């Protein structure tokens, strides 16, 4: 993952650390590739939501090709997912799509294109052998007069010089390929995640990240239980009850199944409360 750029269009701000939905952009991208065997971030070390390996191109600020070369030196994997650190809407499903396209074909890489059809080489998966070969050819072709190909031979080169030598498969995903180059882009990303269709999932993910919880929560189950409690008991009982559901689940296995079981018990209890209220406390008919 490349996270060491200068962010000139953000006025030199620390772009990987800019928060969208309460999470740093870098952490959002790291979450999308959480199941990687090795995660390398090419940048100066910083606090991250999960452990990573750090690398740095020499000289620092030498551009994306030099940064990619530095990161590739720390992995022996057959495939490398190469990502920038400013992709607020990238998800694990897109990463898996890229890898599947790469494995199922004979191309050197699979990359996304944006809404205008432009290549996004920093949202892509590559065969590491092909990348290493292309990087070595570039370095040799831009060696210093002294013949030291590795000393700055890749500095300042644009990514298209690298990807132009590769056979690529292209996938279209305008949302996942959306990157934050400007403050206007940041504002757009922040506004989008607060829209009705996204805000709940974004909030739950942010809370789990903040609390260090790794749990697949079915929010519909919890919301249904909260709704039934609010209707059958009292509105203030709903948030307190969801807390108790979580506490009870943690006392057990602490997994999604435990939450569903506790929610079902609470839903049944709320139904009994409502039934008593609807009955008005009258005695049952004599048999």
């Amino acid at each position: 993952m490349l996270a060491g750029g200068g962010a000139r269009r953000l006025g030199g701000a620390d772009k990987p650390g800019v928060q969208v939905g309460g999470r740093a952009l870098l952490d959002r991208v790291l979450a999308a590739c959480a199941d990687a065997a090795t995660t390398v971030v090419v940048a100066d070390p910083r606090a991250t939501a999960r452990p990573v390996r750090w690398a740095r191109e020499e000289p620092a600020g030498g551009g994306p090709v030099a940064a990619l070369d530095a990161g590739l030196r720390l992995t022996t994997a057959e495939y490398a997912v190469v990502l920038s650190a400013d992709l607020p809407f990238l998800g694990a499903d897109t990463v898996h799509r890229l890898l599947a396209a790469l494995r199922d074909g004979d191309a050197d890489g699979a990359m996304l294109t944006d809404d205008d059809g432009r290549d996004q080489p920093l949202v892509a998966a590559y065969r590491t052998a092909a990348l290493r070969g292309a990087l070595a050819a570039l370095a040799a072709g831009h060696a210093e007069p002294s013949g030291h190909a590795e000393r700055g031979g890749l500095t300042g080169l644009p990514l298209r010089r690298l990807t132009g030598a590769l056979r690529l498969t292209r996938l279209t995903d305008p949302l996942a390929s959306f990157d934050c180059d400007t403050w206007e882009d940041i504002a757009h990303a922040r506004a989008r995640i607060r829209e009705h269709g996204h805000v709940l999932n974004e909030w739950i993910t942010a809370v789990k990240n903040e609390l260090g919880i790794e749990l697949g929560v079915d929010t519909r189950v919890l919301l249904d239980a909260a709704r039934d409690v609010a209707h059958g008991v009292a509105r203030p009982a709903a948030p307190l009850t969801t807390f108790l559901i979580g506490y009870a689940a943690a006392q057990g296995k602490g997994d999604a199944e435990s939450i569903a079981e506790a929610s079902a018990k609470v839903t049944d209890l709320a139904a009994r409360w409502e039934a008593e209220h609807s009955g008005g406390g009258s005695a049952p008919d004599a048999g």
Side-chain angles (χ1 to χ4, degrees), residues 207-230:
V207 170
K208 289 192 293 184
N209 180 74
E210 192 74 13
L211 299 179
I213 298 172
E214 295 183 9
L215 174 65
V217 179
D218 188 340
T219 55
R220 293 171 300 178
V221 170
L222 285 174
L223 287 174
D224 286 347
R227 178 202 60 206
D228 292 340
V229 169

Side-chain angles (χ1 to χ4, degrees), residues 195-284:
E195 293 174 357
H196 177 71
H198 310 283
V199 66
L200 189 57
N201 181 64
E202 285 284 348
W203 172 248
I204 294 300
T205 301
V207 170
K208 289 192 293 184
N209 180 74
E210 192 74 13
L211 299 179
I213 298 172
E214 295 183 9
L215 174 65
V217 179
D218 188 340
T219 55
R220 293 171 300 178
V221 170
L222 285 174
L223 287 174
D224 286 347
R227 178 202 60 206
D228 292 340
V229 169
H231 177 75
V233 183
R235 290 183 63 87
L240 296 172
T241 302
T242 54
F243 164 77
L244 292 173
I245 289 173
Y247 186 83
Q251 296 293 94
K253 294 182 179 179
D255 56 9
E257 185 177 347
S258 300
I259 293 177
E261 182 180 351
S263 297
K265 290 180 178 179
V266 166
T267 297
D268 182 64
L269 176 61
R272 299 201 306 268
W273 269 63
E274 184 179 11
E276 290 179 13
H277 175 72
S278 299
S282 59

